[in-house]
PDB file of all heavy atoms in Angstrom:
ATOM      1  N   GLU A  69      65.007 104.537   8.664  1.00 97.00           N
ATOM      2  CA  GLU A  69      65.162 105.393   7.462  1.00 97.00           C
ATOM      3  C   GLU A  69      63.973 106.326   7.277  1.00 97.00           C
ATOM      4  O   GLU A  69      64.089 107.353   6.614  1.00 97.00           O
ATOM      5  CB  GLU A  69      65.297 104.552   6.175  1.00 97.00           C
ATOM      6  CG  GLU A  69      66.539 103.690   6.084  1.00 97.00           C
ATOM      7  CD  GLU A  69      66.336 102.342   6.744  1.00 97.00           C
ATOM      8  OE1 GLU A  69      65.716 101.465   6.109  1.00 97.00           O
ATOM      9  OE2 GLU A  69      66.779 102.165   7.887  1.00 97.00           O
ATOM     10  N   GLU A  70      62.824 105.949   7.835  1.00 98.00           N
ATOM     11  CA  GLU A  70      61.622 106.779   7.685  1.00 98.00           C
ATOM     12  C   GLU A  70      61.587 107.941   8.684  1.00 98.00           C
ATOM     13  O   GLU A  70      60.704 108.795   8.602  1.00 98.00           O
ATOM     14  CB  GLU A  70      60.367 105.914   7.872  1.00 98.00           C
ATOM     15  CG  GLU A  70      60.237 104.775   6.870  1.00 98.00           C
ATOM     16  CD  GLU A  70      59.164 103.782   7.289  1.00 98.00           C
ATOM     17  OE1 GLU A  70      57.988 104.195   7.374  1.00 98.00           O
ATOM     18  OE2 GLU A  70      59.499 102.599   7.540  1.00 98.00           O
ATOM     19  N   VAL A  71      62.537 107.963   9.615  1.00 98.00           N
ATOM     20  CA  VAL A  71      62.578 109.022  10.633  1.00 98.00           C
ATOM     21  C   VAL A  71      63.484 110.137  10.133  1.00 98.00           C
ATOM     22  O   VAL A  71      64.623 109.881   9.735  1.00 98.00           O
ATOM     23  CB  VAL A  71      63.122 108.470  11.973  1.00 98.00           C
ATOM     24  CG1 VAL A  71      63.121 109.549  13.041  1.00 98.00           C
ATOM     25  CG2 VAL A  71      62.300 107.262  12.425  1.00 98.00           C
ATOM     26  N   PRO A  72      63.023 111.402  10.135  1.00 98.00           N
ATOM     27  CA  PRO A  72      63.883 112.508   9.680  1.00 98.00           C
ATOM     28  C   PRO A  72      65.171 112.577  10.506  1.00 98.00           C
ATOM     29  O   PRO A  72      65.147 112.323  11.718  1.00 98.00           O
ATOM     30  CB  PRO A  72      63.024 113.753   9.929  1.00 98.00           C
ATOM     31  CG  PRO A  72      61.621 113.257  10.049  1.00 98.00           C
ATOM     32  CD  PRO A  72      61.696 111.861  10.568  1.00 98.00           C
ATOM     33  N   GLU A  73      66.263 112.911   9.863  1.00 97.00           N
ATOM     34  CA  GLU A  73      67.556 112.996  10.565  1.00 97.00           C
ATOM     35  C   GLU A  73      67.441 113.937  11.757  1.00 97.00           C
ATOM     36  O   GLU A  73      66.824 114.991  11.678  1.00 97.00           O
ATOM     37  CB  GLU A  73      68.648 113.479   9.599  1.00 97.00           C
ATOM     38  CG  GLU A  73      68.979 112.423   8.561  1.00 97.00           C
ATOM     39  CD  GLU A  73      70.424 112.514   8.078  1.00 97.00           C
ATOM     40  OE1 GLU A  73      71.203 113.289   8.664  1.00 97.00           O
ATOM     41  OE2 GLU A  73      70.747 111.800   7.106  1.00 97.00           O
ATOM     42  N   GLY A  74      68.020 113.501  12.884  1.00 96.00           N
ATOM     43  CA  GLY A  74      68.046 114.349  14.078  1.00 96.00           C
ATOM     44  C   GLY A  74      66.795 114.289  14.934  1.00 96.00           C
ATOM     45  O   GLY A  74      66.745 114.888  16.003  1.00 96.00           O
ATOM     46  N   ALA A  75      65.761 113.562  14.473  1.00 97.00           N
ATOM     47  CA  ALA A  75      64.503 113.493  15.227  1.00 97.00           C
ATOM     48  C   ALA A  75      64.613 112.474  16.368  1.00 97.00           C
ATOM     49  O   ALA A  75      65.606 111.755  16.488  1.00 97.00           O
ATOM     50  CB  ALA A  75      63.349 113.129  14.289  1.00 97.00           C
ATOM     51  N   THR A  76      63.575 112.429  17.204  1.00 97.00           N
ATOM     52  CA  THR A  76      63.524 111.467  18.305  1.00 97.00           C
ATOM     53  C   THR A  76      62.794 110.205  17.852  1.00 97.00           C
ATOM     54  O   THR A  76      61.725 110.284  17.247  1.00 97.00           O
ATOM     55  CB  THR A  76      62.777 112.078  19.517  1.00 97.00           C
ATOM     56  OG1 THR A  76      63.514 113.217  19.975  1.00 97.00           O
ATOM     57  CG2 THR A  76      62.655 111.089  20.659  1.00 97.00           C
ATOM     58  N   VAL A  77      63.386 109.056  18.155  1.00 98.00           N
ATOM     59  CA  VAL A  77      62.738 107.782  17.833  1.00 98.00           C
ATOM     60  C   VAL A  77      62.698 106.911  19.087  1.00 98.00           C
ATOM     61  O   VAL A  77      63.659 106.878  19.862  1.00 98.00           O
ATOM     62  CB  VAL A  77      63.457 107.050  16.673  1.00 98.00           C
ATOM     63  CG1 VAL A  77      64.883 106.650  17.045  1.00 98.00           C
ATOM     64  CG2 VAL A  77      62.659 105.826  16.214  1.00 98.00           C
ATOM     65  N   ILE A  78      61.580 106.241  19.277  1.00 98.00           N
ATOM     66  CA  ILE A  78      61.434 105.308  20.406  1.00 98.00           C
ATOM     67  C   ILE A  78      61.400 103.897  19.846  1.00 98.00           C
ATOM     68  O   ILE A  78      60.678 103.610  18.885  1.00 98.00           O
ATOM     69  CB  ILE A  78      60.152 105.615  21.207  1.00 98.00           C
ATOM     70  CG1 ILE A  78      60.260 107.004  21.848  1.00 98.00           C
ATOM     71  CG2 ILE A  78      59.915 104.553  22.285  1.00 98.00           C
ATOM     72  CD1 ILE A  78      59.006 107.477  22.553  1.00 98.00           C
ATOM     73  N   PHE A  79      62.200 103.011  20.436  1.00 98.00           N
ATOM     74  CA  PHE A  79      62.191 101.601  20.045  1.00 98.00           C
ATOM     75  C   PHE A  79      61.148 100.860  20.880  1.00 98.00           C
ATOM     76  O   PHE A  79      61.051 101.070  22.085  1.00 98.00           O
ATOM     77  CB  PHE A  79      63.570 100.966  20.242  1.00 98.00           C
ATOM     78  CG  PHE A  79      64.641 101.582  19.380  1.00 98.00           C
ATOM     79  CD1 PHE A  79      65.951 101.685  19.825  1.00 98.00           C
ATOM     80  CD2 PHE A  79      64.351 102.069  18.114  1.00 98.00           C
ATOM     81  CE1 PHE A  79      66.940 102.252  19.041  1.00 98.00           C
ATOM     82  CE2 PHE A  79      65.330 102.643  17.308  1.00 98.00           C
ATOM     83  CZ  PHE A  79      66.630 102.736  17.779  1.00 98.00           C
ATOM     84  N   SER A  80      60.401  99.972  20.247  1.00 97.00           N
ATOM     85  CA  SER A  80      59.239  99.348  20.881  1.00 97.00           C
ATOM     86  C   SER A  80      59.626  98.403  22.021  1.00 97.00           C
ATOM     87  O   SER A  80      60.784  98.044  22.198  1.00 97.00           O
ATOM     88  CB  SER A  80      58.422  98.575  19.841  1.00 97.00           C
ATOM     89  OG  SER A  80      59.010  97.299  19.620  1.00 97.00           O
ATOM     90  N   ALA A  81      58.594  97.956  22.747  1.00 97.00           N
ATOM     91  CA  ALA A  81      58.783  97.078  23.907  1.00 97.00           C
ATOM     92  C   ALA A  81      59.392  95.731  23.532  1.00 97.00           C
ATOM     93  O   ALA A  81      59.918  95.026  24.385  1.00 97.00           O
ATOM     94  CB  ALA A  81      57.438  96.848  24.599  1.00 97.00           C
ATOM     95  N   HIS A  82      59.344  95.372  22.236  1.00 97.00           N
ATOM     96  CA  HIS A  82      59.766  94.029  21.825  1.00 97.00           C
ATOM     97  C   HIS A  82      61.277  93.895  21.641  1.00 97.00           C
ATOM     98  O   HIS A  82      61.776  92.779  21.472  1.00 97.00           O
ATOM     99  CB  HIS A  82      59.056  93.646  20.519  1.00 97.00           C
ATOM    100  CG  HIS A  82      57.580  93.842  20.602  1.00 97.00           C
ATOM    101  ND1 HIS A  82      56.942  94.925  20.026  1.00 97.00           N
ATOM    102  CD2 HIS A  82      56.624  93.141  21.263  1.00 97.00           C
ATOM    103  CE1 HIS A  82      55.652  94.855  20.309  1.00 97.00           C
ATOM    104  NE2 HIS A  82      55.430  93.790  21.061  1.00 97.00           N
ATOM    105  N   GLY A  83      61.996  95.026  21.662  1.00 97.00           N
ATOM    106  CA  GLY A  83      63.453  94.961  21.554  1.00 97.00           C
ATOM    107  C   GLY A  83      63.930  95.018  20.112  1.00 97.00           C
ATOM    108  O   GLY A  83      63.183  94.703  19.181  1.00 97.00           O
ATOM    109  N   VAL A  84      65.172  95.439  19.930  1.00 97.00           N
ATOM    110  CA  VAL A  84      65.754  95.558  18.588  1.00 97.00           C
ATOM    111  C   VAL A  84      67.160  94.956  18.576  1.00 97.00           C
ATOM    112  O   VAL A  84      67.810  94.842  19.609  1.00 97.00           O
ATOM    113  CB  VAL A  84      65.821  97.035  18.117  1.00 97.00           C
ATOM    114  CG1 VAL A  84      64.433  97.627  17.987  1.00 97.00           C
ATOM    115  CG2 VAL A  84      66.671  97.886  19.052  1.00 97.00           C
ATOM    116  N   ALA A  85      67.604  94.604  17.374  1.00 97.00           N
ATOM    117  CA  ALA A  85      68.963  94.092  17.188  1.00 97.00           C
ATOM    118  C   ALA A  85      69.959  95.256  17.266  1.00 97.00           C
ATOM    119  O   ALA A  85      69.599  96.408  17.018  1.00 97.00           O
ATOM    120  CB  ALA A  85      69.060  93.397  15.836  1.00 97.00           C
ATOM    121  N   PRO A  86      71.239  94.960  17.587  1.00 97.00           N
ATOM    122  CA  PRO A  86      72.247  96.018  17.707  1.00 97.00           C
ATOM    123  C   PRO A  86      72.358  96.906  16.464  1.00 97.00           C
ATOM    124  O   PRO A  86      72.615  98.108  16.577  1.00 97.00           O
ATOM    125  CB  PRO A  86      73.551  95.236  17.930  1.00 97.00           C
ATOM    126  CG  PRO A  86      73.127  93.941  18.512  1.00 97.00           C
ATOM    127  CD  PRO A  86      71.786  93.633  17.921  1.00 97.00           C
ATOM    128  N   GLU A  87      72.143  96.321  15.279  1.00 97.00           N
ATOM    129  CA  GLU A  87      72.294  97.115  14.037  1.00 97.00           C
ATOM    130  C   GLU A  87      71.278  98.262  13.987  1.00 97.00           C
ATOM    131  O   GLU A  87      71.527  99.291  13.345  1.00 97.00           O
ATOM    132  CB  GLU A  87      72.146  96.220  12.809  1.00 97.00           C
ATOM    133  CG  GLU A  87      70.765  95.642  12.618  1.00 97.00           C
ATOM    134  CD  GLU A  87      70.730  94.464  11.652  1.00 97.00           C
ATOM    135  OE1 GLU A  87      71.577  93.564  11.746  1.00 97.00           O
ATOM    136  OE2 GLU A  87      69.837  94.467  10.801  1.00 97.00           O
ATOM    137  N   VAL A  88      70.137  98.117  14.674  1.00 98.00           N
ATOM    138  CA  VAL A  88      69.125  99.180  14.671  1.00 98.00           C
ATOM    139  C   VAL A  88      69.657 100.412  15.412  1.00 98.00           C
ATOM    140  O   VAL A  88      69.427 101.550  15.009  1.00 98.00           O
ATOM    141  CB  VAL A  88      67.796  98.671  15.287  1.00 98.00           C
ATOM    142  CG1 VAL A  88      66.764  99.800  15.395  1.00 98.00           C
ATOM    143  CG2 VAL A  88      67.232  97.522  14.451  1.00 98.00           C
ATOM    144  N   TYR A  89      70.406 100.181  16.503  1.00 97.00           N
ATOM    145  CA  TYR A  89      71.045 101.299  17.216  1.00 97.00           C
ATOM    146  C   TYR A  89      72.074 101.982  16.316  1.00 97.00           C
ATOM    147  O   TYR A  89      72.195 103.209  16.309  1.00 97.00           O
ATOM    148  CB  TYR A  89      71.745 100.795  18.489  1.00 97.00           C
ATOM    149  CG  TYR A  89      70.814 100.293  19.551  1.00 97.00           C
ATOM    150  CD1 TYR A  89      70.577  98.926  19.706  1.00 97.00           C
ATOM    151  CD2 TYR A  89      70.166 101.172  20.410  1.00 97.00           C
ATOM    152  CE1 TYR A  89      69.722  98.453  20.693  1.00 97.00           C
ATOM    153  CE2 TYR A  89      69.307 100.709  21.400  1.00 97.00           C
ATOM    154  CZ  TYR A  89      69.094  99.352  21.526  1.00 97.00           C
ATOM    155  OH  TYR A  89      68.243  98.893  22.487  1.00 97.00           O
ATOM    156  N   GLU A  90      72.827 101.174  15.573  1.00 97.00           N
ATOM    157  CA  GLU A  90      73.851 101.730  14.658  1.00 97.00           C
ATOM    158  C   GLU A  90      73.200 102.617  13.612  1.00 97.00           C
ATOM    159  O   GLU A  90      73.683 103.717  13.326  1.00 97.00           O
ATOM    160  CB  GLU A  90      74.636 100.590  13.976  1.00 97.00           C
ATOM    161  CG  GLU A  90      75.503  99.766  14.923  1.00 97.00           C
ATOM    162  CD  GLU A  90      76.441 100.626  15.765  1.00 97.00           C
ATOM    163  OE1 GLU A  90      77.074 101.543  15.205  1.00 97.00           O
ATOM    164  OE2 GLU A  90      76.522 100.403  16.994  1.00 97.00           O
ATOM    165  N   GLN A  91      72.105 102.123  13.031  1.00 97.00           N
ATOM    166  CA  GLN A  91      71.389 102.911  12.011  1.00 97.00           C
ATOM    167  C   GLN A  91      70.902 104.232  12.604  1.00 97.00           C
ATOM    168  O   GLN A  91      70.968 105.283  11.949  1.00 97.00           O
ATOM    169  CB  GLN A  91      70.171 102.138  11.478  1.00 97.00           C
ATOM    170  CG  GLN A  91      70.498 100.881  10.692  1.00 97.00           C
ATOM    171  CD  GLN A  91      69.289  99.954  10.604  1.00 97.00           C
ATOM    172  OE1 GLN A  91      68.228 100.218  11.177  1.00 97.00           O
ATOM    173  NE2 GLN A  91      69.456  98.845   9.886  1.00 97.00           N
ATOM    174  N   ALA A  92      70.424 104.181  13.845  1.00 97.00           N
ATOM    175  CA  ALA A  92      69.927 105.403  14.499  1.00 97.00           C
ATOM    176  C   ALA A  92      71.066 106.411  14.681  1.00 97.00           C
ATOM    177  O   ALA A  92      70.884 107.609  14.453  1.00 97.00           O
ATOM    178  CB  ALA A  92      69.297 105.056  15.846  1.00 97.00           C
ATOM    179  N   LYS A  93      72.248 105.891  15.071  1.00 97.00           N
ATOM    180  CA  LYS A  93      73.421 106.774  15.239  1.00 97.00           C
ATOM    181  C   LYS A  93      73.787 107.435  13.924  1.00 97.00           C
ATOM    182  O   LYS A  93      74.080 108.639  13.866  1.00 97.00           O
ATOM    183  CB  LYS A  93      74.622 105.947  15.726  1.00 97.00           C
ATOM    184  CG  LYS A  93      74.806 105.971  17.224  1.00 97.00           C
ATOM    185  CD  LYS A  93      76.144 105.350  17.606  1.00 97.00           C
ATOM    186  CE  LYS A  93      76.079 104.856  19.044  1.00 97.00           C
ATOM    187  NZ  LYS A  93      76.832 103.642  19.257  1.00 97.00           N
ATOM    188  N   GLU A  94      73.789 106.637  12.842  1.00 97.00           N
ATOM    189  CA  GLU A  94      74.154 107.164  11.518  1.00 97.00           C
ATOM    190  C   GLU A  94      73.232 108.295  11.091  1.00 97.00           C
ATOM    191  O   GLU A  94      73.638 109.207  10.373  1.00 97.00           O
ATOM    192  CB  GLU A  94      74.106 106.036  10.469  1.00 97.00           C
ATOM    193  CG  GLU A  94      75.286 105.076  10.549  1.00 97.00           C
ATOM    194  CD  GLU A  94      75.020 103.769   9.824  1.00 97.00           C
ATOM    195  OE1 GLU A  94      74.116 103.740   8.957  1.00 97.00           O
ATOM    196  OE2 GLU A  94      75.701 102.771  10.146  1.00 97.00           O
ATOM    197  N   ARG A  95      71.982 108.234  11.513  1.00 96.00           N
ATOM    198  CA  ARG A  95      71.015 109.279  11.129  1.00 96.00           C
ATOM    199  C   ARG A  95      70.888 110.364  12.217  1.00 96.00           C
ATOM    200  O   ARG A  95      69.975 111.188  12.166  1.00 96.00           O
ATOM    201  CB  ARG A  95      69.635 108.661  10.871  1.00 96.00           C
ATOM    202  CG  ARG A  95      69.611 107.719   9.684  1.00 96.00           C
ATOM    203  CD  ARG A  95      68.213 107.195   9.385  1.00 96.00           C
ATOM    204  NE  ARG A  95      67.265 108.231   9.023  1.00 96.00           N
ATOM    205  CZ  ARG A  95      67.240 108.848   7.849  1.00 96.00           C
ATOM    206  NH1 ARG A  95      68.123 108.520   6.915  1.00 96.00           N
ATOM    207  NH2 ARG A  95      66.346 109.778   7.592  1.00 96.00           N
ATOM    208  N   SER A  96      71.788 110.336  13.191  1.00 98.00           N
ATOM    209  CA  SER A  96      71.787 111.299  14.308  1.00 98.00           C
ATOM    210  C   SER A  96      70.438 111.360  15.009  1.00 98.00           C
ATOM    211  O   SER A  96      69.959 112.432  15.396  1.00 98.00           O
ATOM    212  CB  SER A  96      72.161 112.709  13.806  1.00 98.00           C
ATOM    213  OG  SER A  96      73.367 112.677  13.116  1.00 98.00           O
ATOM    214  N   LEU A  97      69.812 110.199  15.158  1.00 98.00           N
ATOM    215  CA  LEU A  97      68.515 110.158  15.835  1.00 98.00           C
ATOM    216  C   LEU A  97      68.720 110.121  17.345  1.00 98.00           C
ATOM    217  O   LEU A  97      69.671 109.518  17.833  1.00 98.00           O
ATOM    218  CB  LEU A  97      67.724 108.915  15.409  1.00 98.00           C
ATOM    219  CG  LEU A  97      67.452 108.737  13.908  1.00 98.00           C
ATOM    220  CD1 LEU A  97      66.663 107.454  13.661  1.00 98.00           C
ATOM    221  CD2 LEU A  97      66.702 109.937  13.340  1.00 98.00           C
ATOM    222  N   LYS A  98      67.819 110.762  18.056  1.00 97.00           N
ATOM    223  CA  LYS A  98      67.812 110.653  19.519  1.00 97.00           C
ATOM    224  C   LYS A  98      66.979 109.402  19.823  1.00 97.00           C
ATOM    225  O   LYS A  98      65.755 109.402  19.666  1.00 97.00           O
ATOM    226  CB  LYS A  98      67.177 111.890  20.140  1.00 97.00           C
ATOM    227  CG  LYS A  98      67.118 111.835  21.654  1.00 97.00           C
ATOM    228  CD  LYS A  98      66.376 113.034  22.212  1.00 97.00           C
ATOM    229  CE  LYS A  98      66.300 112.990  23.721  1.00 97.00           C
ATOM    230  NZ  LYS A  98      67.601 113.084  24.377  1.00 97.00           N
ATOM    231  N   ALA A  99      67.641 108.320  20.212  1.00 97.00           N
ATOM    232  CA  ALA A  99      66.957 107.047  20.413  1.00 97.00           C
ATOM    233  C   ALA A  99      66.604 106.833  21.881  1.00 97.00           C
ATOM    234  O   ALA A  99      67.453 107.005  22.760  1.00 97.00           O
ATOM    235  CB  ALA A  99      67.834 105.904  19.917  1.00 97.00           C
ATOM    236  N   ILE A 100      65.352 106.490  22.128  1.00 98.00           N
ATOM    237  CA  ILE A 100      64.899 106.128  23.470  1.00 98.00           C
ATOM    238  C   ILE A 100      64.451 104.675  23.398  1.00 98.00           C
ATOM    239  O   ILE A 100      63.618 104.312  22.563  1.00 98.00           O
ATOM    240  CB  ILE A 100      63.738 107.035  23.926  1.00 98.00           C
ATOM    241  CG1 ILE A 100      64.235 108.480  24.050  1.00 98.00           C
ATOM    242  CG2 ILE A 100      63.166 106.555  25.258  1.00 98.00           C
ATOM    243  CD1 ILE A 100      63.147 109.492  24.314  1.00 98.00           C
TER     244      ILE A 100
END
Side-chain angles (χ1 to χ4, degrees):
E69 295 87 79
E70 300 167 62
V71 182
E73 290 209 8
T76 297
V77 64
I78 296 174
F79 297 147
S80 82
H82 309 103
V84 296
E87 67 197 46
V88 175
Y89 292 99
E90 293 307 315
Q91 294 161 357
K93 264 190 203 145
E94 285 163 20
R95 295 184 62 75
S96 306
L97 303 180
K98 179 185 180 64
I100 296 172

